[in-house]
C-alpha cells in the first residue's frame, strides 16, 4: 500500500466513523448498568425498575426548621401541589388533601355492588337484610354516625364500609393542616409523578428543574419570607443526582489528569509536538470504538463516553512506546521486535476487555466493545501512522539498568513479592466467604445514605415499601385478575398469621368480570328486594320508607356496565391501578400486589404460600442482590476466560514455555496483590472491582511483555525501561486521581487500577529478564 | 328520670332567658361580643372535665329517635374521649389528629381501629367544634363559624353558622345552650335533615 493510499484510507475511515458517531443518539438510561434479567420475575422486576409507575415517582419534602412553622410548610405544599398539577412535566400530584380523595370515594360508592365482598344472594333475603339493619342502627348510634348517616338511605347494608375496610388495611398517613406530614411535624409531603419514565434522565432533570421553579413560586406566593426548604427523593431524582455527580467528578479529574500527565511528558520528553501526537492513537481509537457501538447498538451510552476514554487511556502508552523504543528506520530487526511487542500488548489488553463484553450487563458489554475496538485501532494507528508524524527519536534512557548488575537486588525484589503475594492470598482466604459484596448500595452511584430521605418520607407518608412485591402474570387481563382473586384468601390468612401487615391488590378495586357478574347475579329483582326489605324493616325502629334510594341503587347496579380500568382514570385509584395492573410487552398482563410490613422470619412461608398459587414473592433487595451475585459469578468466569485467552495469545506468539510462564507469573502476581490490597483496605470486592482487575491484568501484561524479554543491547534495554516507567507513571497519575472521587464507581476503578499499576510494574520488574541473543 | 328533668330544666331556662333577652333591646352588639368572650373565658376556666352525655338522633330514618348514653371526657387542649355504654360499648379517643375507635361486638370481642382525623372530615368538624368550645378557644371557632349570642349569661344560648361552604361537612347549623361555664346542650342540624342532640350533665 502506498503511503498516500494509506493516509486516504485513514481519512475516509475517520469521516465514516465521524458520520456514524454524529448521528447516533446518546442514551442516558442507567438501567443499562443494572443486570439483565434471567427469570420471568426478574424480567418483570427489571422492567418495573426501569419504566414502572414507581420509577416515575418523586417524593417531595417541604420542610421548615421548626414544627411551630408547620403551617407555612403546609401552605407551600398545597400551592405546590396545585402548580404541579398544571405543569406538563407531571401527570399527577397529591399531598393528602381530603378533597382529592372525594372523587375516588364517589367512584367506589357508585360501584359498591360490583366491588363489595359482602354481596351474596343471602345478603338480600329478609334475614340477611334484618342483620344488616341491626348493624346499621348500631353504626348510627356510634361516634362514627356522621360518617355513616349520609350513605345510610342508599347503602343500608354497608357495602361501602366493607369495601373501604378491605382496600384500606393500613392506617392512613399522618395529616396536619390538610397536608401529609412527617412524624416530627417539620416536613410536609407531596407525591408527584413525572410524565416521562424514570430512566430518561434528561426528562427527569427538566422535570426537577420545573419542580424547583414551582416550589420557589409557591413559597413566594404562600409563605413569602418564611424559611421553607425543598427536599427531593425517588428513583428519578437519584438518577439525575448521580449522573451530575459522576459528570462533575469525571470532568474535574480528567482536566487535572490531563494537566499532570502532559506536564510529566513535557518534562521528560521535552517535545510539545509529541504531546499533541500522543493523542492521535487514543483519539482515532475512541472514534472507531464509538462508531462501532453506534452501528451495533444504535445508540451511544453516556457512561461509555465517560468511562471508555479512561479505559483506553492505556493507548497513550502506545505512543510513548513507539516514540521512545522506535529504532532507526534501517534497523529492521529492532523495529520488528517493537511491533511484535506492541501487537502482543494490544491483543492481551483486548483479551481482558472480552470479559466485559461477556459480563451480561448491557452497559458493560457496550463499554467492552468500545474498549476492544478502541484499543486495537489505537495500536494500529500507533504502529502504522504515528512513526511518520513523530519528531526524530530522541532516546531517553534510564540512568540505571535492569535487571541490575547485582542479581541480589532482583532476588530481593522477588522474595519481597513472594511474601506480598502470600500475604495477599492469606488476606483473601481469611475473608473468603465475604470477599464479594453484592449489596445494591455498594454499587449505587450515590453510595450508602442516599436512600435515607426516601425511606423517611416513604415511612411517614405510609407509602408501600418498595421492597416487597407479589407478582403474577397471565395471558389475559381477566385471567390475571382472577388469579389475584384466588390469591386473596391466602394473603388474608398470611396477614392474620402475622406474616405481613397489609397488602394492596388491584383486584380489590377492579374485580374480574367473572366476579363482577357473580355479584350482579346476586342482586335481586326490584319487587323481590322490596318484599324482603319490608319484612326486614317491620320489626325495627327504622321508618318503612327510609330505604327507597337503596332499592333504586340495587336495580341500577343490576344493569350497570361492568367496571374496566378506564373507570378510575385520572385519579389516585387510577394511578394505583396503572401501577399494579401492567400490560407486558408480550401482550400478557402482570398483577403487582404491593405488600407492607413483611415479617422477615415468616417470609419463607409467605413465599411458599404465594408460590402455591402460581405467583411469586419478590424481595426487591434480596432478589436484586441475588441477581448481582449471579452476574458477578458470570463475570468471574469471563475474567478467567479472558486470562486464559491472554495466556494462549502469549504462547502462540512467543512459543517459549519459560517466557510465557514468566509473564503469566508477573501478571498473576499483579492481580493477586491488587486483590489482596483491595480486600485489606476496601473490605470487600464488588463487580466494579472485578472489571477493574481485568484492566490491571491488561496493563500488567503490557509491562510483562516488555520487561520479561529485554534487549541484550544495554542502550535499547534502558530505553525500553524508560518508556515502561513513563507509561506506568502516566497511568498511575490518571487512576490515582480517579480514586479520590467521591462517586463509589469511579473510586473503585481508580483504586484498583492505581494499585494494580504499581503492583504490575513491581511484578514485571521481579520477573524481568534479558532475551538471550540467539532468540 | 334525671336526664329528662335536666333537659326540661335546660329548655325552661333557655325559654325564660330568651324572653328576657327579647324584651331587652338595650343588650347591644358590643355587649353581646363582650358577653361571648366572657362565656368562653368561663369555658376555658373549667379545664379538664368528665360529663355524662345523652345523644339523640332525630331522623326521618327512625320512627323514634335512638339514644346513646355514656360519658364524655375532655382534657385541654386536644384530648376528647367519648365512652358509650348503651346501646353498646364503644370508646372513641381523639387526641389531636389521631382517632382510636374501640368497639365491642355482639360476641364481646373488642375491635380497635385507628385513623387520622383529617381523613374523616364529617367527624373532624364536630370534634373541632366541641373541642374548641370546651377549651374556650373562641378564635378557632370564629374561623369556622359566624357566632351569634342569642341569650346572655348566665343562662346563655349561642348559634353557630358555618362560614364557608355551609353544609360541606354535613352540618348546616349548631346551637348551644347552658348555664355559666357549663354547656348543657349542643344541637347539630345536619344537611340530611337530621338533628342530633347532645345533652351534657354532671357525671355520676
Amino acid at each position: 500500500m502506498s503511503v498516500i493510499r494509506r493516509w486516504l484510507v485513514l481519512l475516509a475511515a475517520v469521516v465514516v466513523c465521524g458520520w456514524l458517531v454524529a448521528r447516533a443518539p446518546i442514551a442516558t438510561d442507567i438501567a443499562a448498568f443494572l443486570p439483565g434479567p434471567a427469570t420471568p420475575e426478574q424480567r418483570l422486576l427489571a422492567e418495573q425498575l426501569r419504566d414502572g409507575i414507581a420509577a416515575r415517582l418523586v417524593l417531595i419534602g417541604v420542610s421548615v426548621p421548626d414544627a411551630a412553622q408547620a403551617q407555612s410548610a403546609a401552605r407551600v405544599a398545597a400551592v405546590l401541589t396545585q402548580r404541579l398539577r398544571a405543569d406538563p412535566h407531571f401527570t399527577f400530584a397529591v399531598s393528602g388533601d381530603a378533597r382529592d380523595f372525594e372523587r375516588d370515594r364517589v367512584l367506589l360508592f357508585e360501584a359498591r355492588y360490583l366491588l363489595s365482598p359482602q354481596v351474596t344472594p343471602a345478603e338480600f333475603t329478609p334475614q340477611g337484610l334484618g342483620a344488616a339493619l341491626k348493624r346499621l342502627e348500631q353504626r348510627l348510634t356510634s361516634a362514627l354516625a356522621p360518617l355513616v348517616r349520609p350513605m345510610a338511605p342508599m347503602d343500608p347494608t354497608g357495602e361501602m364500609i366493607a369495601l373501604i375496610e378491605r382496600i384500606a388495611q393500613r392506617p392512613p398517613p399522618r395529616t396536619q393542616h390538610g397536608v401529609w406530614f412527617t412524624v416530627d411535624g417539620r416536613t410536609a409531603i407531596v407525591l408527584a409523578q413525572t410524565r416521562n419514565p424514570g430512566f430518561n434522565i434528561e426528562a427527569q432533570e427538566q422535570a426537577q428543574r420545573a419542580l424547583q421553579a414551582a416550589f420557589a413560586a409557591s413559597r413566594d406566593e404562600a409563605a413569602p419570607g418564611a424559611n421553607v426548604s425543598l427536599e427531593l427523593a425517588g428513583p428519578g431524582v437519584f438518577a439525575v443526582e448521580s449522573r451530575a455527580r459522576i459528570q462533575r467528578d469525571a470532568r474535574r479529574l480528567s482536566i487535572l489528569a490531563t494537566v499532570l500527565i502532559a506536564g510529566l511528558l513535557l518534562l521528560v520528553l521535552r517535545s510539545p509536538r509529541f504531546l499533541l501526537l500522543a493523542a492521535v492513537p487514543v483519539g482515532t481509537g475512541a472514534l472507531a470504538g464509538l462508531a462501532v457501538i453506534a452501528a451495533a447498538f444504535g445508540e451511544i451510552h453516556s457512561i461509555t463516553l465517560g468511562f471508555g476514554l479512561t479505559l483506553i487511556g492505556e493507548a497513550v502508552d502506545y505512543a510513548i512506546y513507539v516514540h521512545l523504543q522506535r529504532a532507526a528506520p534501517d534497523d529492521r530487526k529492532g523495529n520488528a521486535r517493537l511491533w511484535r511487542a506492541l501487537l502482543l500488548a494490544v491483543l492481551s489488553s483486548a483479551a481482558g476487555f472480552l470479559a466485559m463484553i461477556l459480563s451480561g450487563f448491557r452497559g458493560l458489554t457496550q463499554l467492552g466493545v468500545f474498549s476492544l475496538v478502541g484499543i486495537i485501532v489505537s495500536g494500529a494507528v500507533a504502529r502504522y501512522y504515528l512513526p511518520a508524524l513523530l519528531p526524530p527519536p530522541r532516546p531517553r534512557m534510564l540512568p540505571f539498568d535492569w535487571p541490575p548488575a547485582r542479581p541480589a537486588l532482583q532476588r530481593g525484589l522477588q522474595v519481597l513479592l513472594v511474601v506480598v503475594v502470600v500475604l495477599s492470598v492469606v488476606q483473601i482466604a481469611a475473608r473468603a466467604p465475604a470477599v464479594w459484596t453484592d449489596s445494591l448500595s455498594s454499587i449505587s452511584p450515590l453510595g450508602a445514605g442516599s436512600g435515607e430521605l426516601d425511606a423517611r418520607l416513604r415511612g411517614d407518608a405510609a407509602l408501600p415499601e418498595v421492597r416487597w412485591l407479589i407478582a403474577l402474570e397471565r395471558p389475559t387481563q381477566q385471567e390475571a385478575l382472577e388469579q389475584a382473586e384466588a390469591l386473596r384468601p391466602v394473603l388474608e390468612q398470611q396477614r392474620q398469621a402475622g406474616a405481613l401487615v397489609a397488602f394492596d391488590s388491584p383486584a380489590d378495586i377492579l374485580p374480574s368480570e367473572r366476579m363482577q357478574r357473580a355479584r350482579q347475579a346476586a342482586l335481586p329483582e326490584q319487587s323481590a328486594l322490596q318484599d324482603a326489605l319490608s319484612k326486614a324493616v317491620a320489626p325495627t325502629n327504622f321508618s318503612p320508607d327510609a330505604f327507597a334510594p337503596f332499592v333504586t341503587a340495587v336495580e341500577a347496579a343490576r344493569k350497570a356496565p361492568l367496571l374496566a380500568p378506564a373507570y378510575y382514570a385520572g385519579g389516585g385509584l387510577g394511578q394505583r391501578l396503572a401501577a399494579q395492573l401492567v400490560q407486558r410487552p408480550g401482550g400478557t398482563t402482570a398483577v403487582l400486589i404491593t405488600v407492607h410490613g413483611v415479617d422477615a422470619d415468616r417470609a419463607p412461608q409467605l413465599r411458599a404460600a404465594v408460590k402455591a398459587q402460581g405467583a411469586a414473592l419478590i424481595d426487591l433487595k434480596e432478589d436484586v442482590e441475588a441477581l448481582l451475585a449471579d452476574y458477578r459469578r458470570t463475570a468471574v468466569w469471563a475474567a478467567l476466560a479472558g486470562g486464559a485467552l491472554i495466556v494462549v495469545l502469549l504462547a502462540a506468539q512467543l512459543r517459549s514455555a519459560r517466557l510465557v510462564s514468566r509473564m503469566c507469573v508477573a501478571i498473576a502476581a499483579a492481580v493477586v496483590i491488587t486483590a489482596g490490597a483491595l480486600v485489606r483496605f476496601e473490605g470487600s470486592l464488588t463487580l466494579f472491582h472485578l472489571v477493574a482487575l481485568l484492566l490491571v491484568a491488561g496493563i500488567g501484561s503490557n509491562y510483562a511483555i516488555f520487561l520479561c524479554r529485554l534487549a541484550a543491547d544495554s542502550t535499547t534495554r534502558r530505553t525500553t525501561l524508560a518508556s515502561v516507567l513513563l507509561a506506568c507513571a502516566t497511568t498511575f497519575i490518571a487512576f490515582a486521581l480517579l480514586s479520590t472521587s467521591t462517586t463509589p464507581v469511579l473510586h473503585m476503578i481508580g483504586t484498583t487500577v492505581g494499585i494494580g499499576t504499581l503492583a504490575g510494574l513491581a511484578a514485571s520488574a521481579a520477573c524481568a529478564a534479558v532475551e538471550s541473543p540467539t532468540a | 328520670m334525671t336526664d329528662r328533668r335536666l333537659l326540661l330544666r335546660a329548655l325552661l331556662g333557655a325559654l325564660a332567658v330568651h324572653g328576657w333577652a327579647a324584651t331587652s333591646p338595650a343588650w347591644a352588639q358590643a355587649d353581646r361580643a363582650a358577653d361571648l368572650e366572657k362565656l368562653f373565658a368561663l369555658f376555658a376556666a373549667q379545664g379538664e372535665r368528665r360529663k355524662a352525655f345523652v345523644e339523640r338522633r332525630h331522623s326521618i330514618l327512625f320512627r323514634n329517635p335512638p339514644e346513646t348514653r355514656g360519658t364524655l371526657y375532655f382534657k385541654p387542649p386536644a384530648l376528647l374521649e367519648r365512652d358509650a355504654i348503651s346501646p353498646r360499648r364503644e370508646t372513641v379517643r381523639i387526641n389531636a389528629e389521631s382517632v382510636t375507635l374501640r368497639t365491642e361486638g355482639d360476641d364481646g370481642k373488642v375491635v380497635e381501629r385507628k385513623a387520622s382525623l383529617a381523613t374523616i372530615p364529617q367527624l373532624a368538624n364536630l370534634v373541632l367544634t366541641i373541642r374548641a368550645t370546651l377549651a374556650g378557644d373562641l378564635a378557632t371557632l370564629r374561623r369556622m363559624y359566624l357566632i351569634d349570642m342569642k341569650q346572655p349569661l348566665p343562662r346563655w344560648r349561642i348559634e353557630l353558622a358555618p362560614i364557608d361552604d355551609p353544609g360541606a361537612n354535613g352540618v348546616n347549623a349548631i346551637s348551644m345552650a347552658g348555664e355559666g361555664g357549663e354547656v348543657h346542650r349542643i344541637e347539630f342540624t345536619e344537611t340530611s335533615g337530621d338533628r342530633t342532640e347532645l345533652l351534657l350533665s354532671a357525671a355520676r
Side-chain angles (χ1 to χ4, degrees):
Chain A
M1 201 158 27
S2 80
V3 178
I4 295 174
R5 276 244 308 276
R6 190 193 286 175
W7 282 94
L8 280 178
V9 167
L10 180 69
L11 196 66
V14 166
V15 169
V16 169
C17 288
W19 177 75
L20 274 171
V21 172
R23 57 192 286 279
I26 306 289
T28 51
D29 171 1
I30 44 155
F33 282 82
L34 287 172
T39 67
E41 286 83 36
Q42 289 175 346
R43 201 154 42 240
L44 188 62
L45 182 70
E47 224 175 83
Q48 287 302 305
L49 287 175
R50 195 181 127 93
D51 198 14
I53 296 285
R56 300 184 184 200
L57 190 71
V58 185
L59 284 144
I60 304 163
V62 176
S63 299
V64 284
D66 180 357
Q69 302 159 36
Q71 201 144 24
S72 296
R75 275 203 305 271
V76 174
V79 173
L80 178 62
T81 309
Q82 293 305 323
R83 280 182 185 271
L84 292 181
R85 282 181 187 161
D87 192 314
H89 294 97
F90 295 90
T91 51
F92 186 70
V94 64
S95 59
D97 186 339
R99 283 168 296 185
D100 292 345
F101 306 112
E102 184 54 23
R103 192 175 157 272
D104 281 339
R105 205 195 61 80
V106 169
L107 289 174
L108 291 175
F109 188 71
E110 293 293 319
R112 62 191 180 279
Y113 292 105
L114 296 178
L115 294 173
S116 166
Q118 253 176 214
V119 174
T120 57
E123 196 189 11
F124 300 94
T125 60
Q127 294 80 0
L129 289 171
L133 291 181
K134 193 171 166 231
R135 213 164 50 221
L136 179 66
E137 185 164 3
Q138 281 182 349
R139 282 174 179 162
L140 285 172
T141 52
S142 128
L144 293 180
L147 197 65
V148 179
R149 172 60 183 92
M151 299 186 289
M154 287 88 86
D155 185 18
T157 49
E159 307 303 339
M160 186 64 178
I161 294 171
L163 179 56
I164 293 290
E165 276 176 356
R166 191 177 219 200
I167 63 176
Q169 293 172 348
R170 276 174 296 125
R174 213 179 89 92
T175 319
Q176 205 177 317
H177 308 298
V179 176
W180 287 325
F181 256 90
T182 54
V183 175
D184 64 8
R186 293 198 305 108
T187 306
I189 303 167
V190 182
L191 294 182
Q193 197 173 287
T194 58
R195 182 170 303 279
N196 284 300
F199 66 78
N200 185 341
I201 301 187
E202 293 298 335
Q204 287 291 325
E205 204 170 354
Q206 282 171 17
Q208 278 163 45
R209 269 201 296 273
L211 204 164
Q212 271 146 359
F215 168 73
S218 308
R219 188 183 45 196
D220 294 346
E221 181 189 329
N227 186 4
V228 185
S229 59
L230 178 72
E231 293 171 288
L232 299 177
V237 174
F238 293 152
V240 169
E241 205 176 310
S242 60
R243 188 180 68 157
R245 214 155 119 176
I246 289 179
Q247 276 178 347
R248 240 185 354 255
D249 269 10
R251 190 173 308 132
R252 182 172 59 86
L253 295 173
S254 62
I255 290 174
L256 206 57
T258 307
V259 169
L260 284 177
I261 291 172
L264 179 70
L265 290 178
L266 215 52
L267 192 74
V268 176
L269 302 174
R270 298 179 195 288
S271 165
R273 186 165 151 201
F274 170 76
L275 211 56
L276 288 176
L277 291 172
V280 171
V282 183
T284 45
L287 190 64
L290 290 178
V292 169
I293 287 174
F297 294 81
E299 58 178 25
I300 298 170
H301 202 286
S302 63
I303 295 181
T304 309
L305 274 176
F307 286 96
L309 282 174
T310 318
L311 291 182
I312 66 164
E314 183 191 345
V316 172
D317 296 357
Y318 299 159
I320 297 173
Y321 297 144
V322 170
H323 182 50
L324 286 182
Q325 297 188 30
R326 185 167 39 125
D330 54 338
D331 181 1
R332 296 186 70 101
K333 201 179 157 212
N335 276 328
R337 246 182 85 84
L338 171 61
W339 301 143
R340 232 181 39 232
L342 192 65
L343 178 69
L344 259 186
V346 168
L347 289 180
S348 60
S349 296
F353 292 129
L354 262 185
M356 245 193 265
I357 297 178
L358 301 174
S359 72
F361 282 70
R362 200 153 48 93
L364 284 184
T365 305
Q366 200 182 84
L367 205 51
V369 170
F370 170 83
S371 307
L372 184 74
V373 173
I375 214 84
I376 290 173
V377 171
S378 297
V381 169
R383 157 79 176 87
Y384 293 107
Y385 294 93
L386 205 55
L389 300 172
L390 285 170
R394 251 199 295 180
R396 282 277 176 277
M397 283 181 291
L398 216 56
F400 58 89
D401 200 359
W402 193 271
R406 287 169 51 204
L409 268 178
Q410 195 180 16
R411 209 19 86 201
L413 183 63
Q414 284 166 354
V415 171
L416 181 70
L417 272 175
V418 168
V419 171
V420 175
V421 166
V422 169
L423 282 178
S424 298
V425 169
V426 169
Q427 181 71 247
I428 295 169
R431 209 60 81 78
V435 160
W436 299 102
T437 309
D438 298 309
S439 88
L440 258 187
S441 63
S442 74
I443 63 154
S444 153
L446 292 180
S450 58
E452 268 169 38
L453 175 69
D454 185 78
R456 188 164 67 87
L457 293 183
R458 253 177 218 286
D460 286 349
L463 286 177
E465 298 161 77
V466 252
R467 181 167 171 186
W468 301 92
L469 207 61
I470 290 170
L472 58 89
E473 192 179 353
R474 289 293 176 275
T476 67
Q477 191 180 71
Q478 288 308 314
E479 286 171 84
L481 288 170
E482 282 167 23
Q483 187 69 28
E485 280 160 356
L487 190 57
R488 191 174 216 295
V490 176
L491 293 180
E492 187 55 43
Q493 200 185 345
Q494 291 291 327
R495 191 166 81 94
Q496 306 283 346
L500 57 103
V501 170
F503 60 91
D504 291 324
S505 170
D508 288 347
I509 55 172
L510 184 71
S512 67
E513 287 179 0
R514 194 158 71 181
M515 177 68 85
Q516 292 187 51
R517 277 201 201 90
R519 287 186 183 143
Q520 244 173 356
L523 301 172
E525 278 180 36
Q526 191 159 6
S527 57
L529 179 62
Q530 190 65 66
D531 285 351
L533 185 63
S534 300
K535 281 189 194 127
V537 168
T540 68
N541 185 22
F542 284 108
S543 307
D545 51 358
F547 304 113
F550 163 60
V551 178
T552 317
V554 170
E555 184 57 21
R558 267 162 39 81
K559 293 167 182 154
L562 299 185
L563 302 180
Y567 181 70
Y568 295 105
L573 288 177
Q575 292 292 317
R576 189 183 130 181
L577 206 56
Q580 297 196 313
L581 192 65
V582 182
Q583 198 73 38
R584 299 294 306 283
T588 58
T589 298
V591 163
L592 302 172
I593 298 173
T594 46
V595 189
H596 188 77
V598 172
D599 179 350
D601 293 339
R602 292 184 171 130
Q605 81 180 44
L606 176 63
R607 192 180 290 272
V610 165
K611 198 170 178 212
Q613 291 294 318
L617 178 71
I618 299 177
D619 176 350
L620 242 58
K621 186 173 175 288
E622 237 166 60
D623 287 7
V624 170
E625 285 175 7
L627 214 57
L628 278 180
D630 274 0
Y631 280 101
R632 195 244 310 143
R633 276 187 284 275
T634 313
V636 169
W637 284 112
L640 290 176
L645 198 60
I646 292 178
V647 176
V648 170
L649 273 171
L650 293 176
Q653 278 292 313
L654 302 171
R655 297 176 186 286
S656 155
R658 270 194 60 221
L659 205 50
V660 171
S661 53
R662 204 176 254 280
M663 289 181 183
C664 289
V665 165
I667 298 169
V671 171
V672 170
I673 291 171
T674 310
L678 287 174
V679 170
R680 177 76 185 77
F681 299 112
E682 303 263 283
S684 56
L685 306 182
T686 70
L687 196 64
F688 290 108
H689 286 122
L690 180 65
V691 170
L693 278 175
L694 290 175
L695 199 58
V696 170
I699 293 172
S701 73
N702 289 359
Y703 300 158
I705 286 163
F706 286 111
L707 294 187
C708 293
R709 216 170 38 141
L710 285 164
D713 164 41
S714 164
T715 314
T716 315
R717 188 164 65 227
R718 281 163 65 185
T719 310
T720 304
L721 288 170
S723 71
V724 170
L725 208 59
L726 190 57
C728 176
T730 56
T731 310
F732 180 74
I733 288 173
F735 286 94
L737 279 173
L738 209 57
S739 74
T740 66
S741 168
T742 51
T743 307
V745 179
L746 298 181
H747 169 79
M748 283 185 244
I749 294 179
T751 313
T752 310
V753 182
I755 296 171
T757 310
L758 298 184
L761 185 69
S764 292
C767 296
V770 175
E771 197 176 23
S772 61
T774 50
Chain B
M1 247 182 142
T2 48
D3 291 310
R4 193 159 296 165
R5 210 179 307 144
L6 212 117
L7 171 66
L8 203 65
R9 181 144 47 96
L11 282 174
L12 284 175
L15 277 173
V17 177
H18 188 268
W20 178 81
T23 55
S24 306
W27 194 40
Q29 195 65 40
D31 295 332
R32 293 191 196 197
D35 245 24
L36 192 62
E37 274 172 27
K38 214 157 98 192
L39 175 63
F40 273 73
L42 289 175
F43 290 160
Q46 293 245 339
E48 183 182 350
R49 69 203 92 153
R50 189 183 297 276
K51 299 284 171 196
F53 81 86
V54 179
E55 193 183 84
R56 282 197 200 99
R57 177 171 286 275
H58 302 269
S59 170
I60 50 157
L61 293 182
F62 292 111
R63 292 188 237 250
N64 303 305
E67 265 184 13
T68 310
R69 286 163 186 279
T71 55
L72 198 68
Y73 170 71
F74 176 66
K75 190 176 174 206
L79 176 63
L80 190 65
E81 202 174 288
R82 179 192 192 266
D83 207 343
I85 301 158
S86 79
R88 62 170 178 163
R89 298 196 78 94
E90 178 196 72
T91 305
V92 186
R93 186 185 162 88
I94 301 154
N95 197 357
E97 286 273 329
S98 83
V99 181
T100 313
L101 177 73
R102 292 175 52 131
T103 326
E104 194 175 291
D106 295 333
D107 50 358
K109 222 169 92 180
V110 176
V111 185
E112 188 175 293
R113 253 169 283 176
K114 283 184 195 298
S116 166
L117 194 55
T119 59
I120 324 171
Q122 301 91 332
L123 187 65
N125 207 46
L126 301 187
V127 169
L128 293 181
T129 304
I130 294 173
R131 266 199 318 221
T133 304
L134 296 182
D137 182 358
L138 186 56
T140 296
L141 221 51
R142 274 188 166 143
R143 273 201 293 275
M144 300 164 69
Y145 303 98
L146 284 172
I147 305 171
D148 193 4
M149 190 143 191
K150 291 288 185 189
Q151 282 166 25
L153 281 162
R155 294 202 165 178
W156 52 270
R157 186 165 70 87
I158 56 177
E159 280 182 3
L160 293 79
I163 291 176
D164 43 37
D165 207 359
N169 289 308
V171 173
N172 279 339
I174 302 170
S175 92
M176 298 181 189
E179 189 175 350
E182 295 285 346
V183 182
H184 289 154
R185 180 175 180 275
I186 306 178
E187 185 182 281
F188 301 92
T189 306
E190 297 171 16
T191 40
S192 58
D194 287 10
R195 280 180 305 114
T196 303
E197 253 184 314
L198 182 66
L199 303 175
L200 302 173
S201 57
R204 276 156 296 178

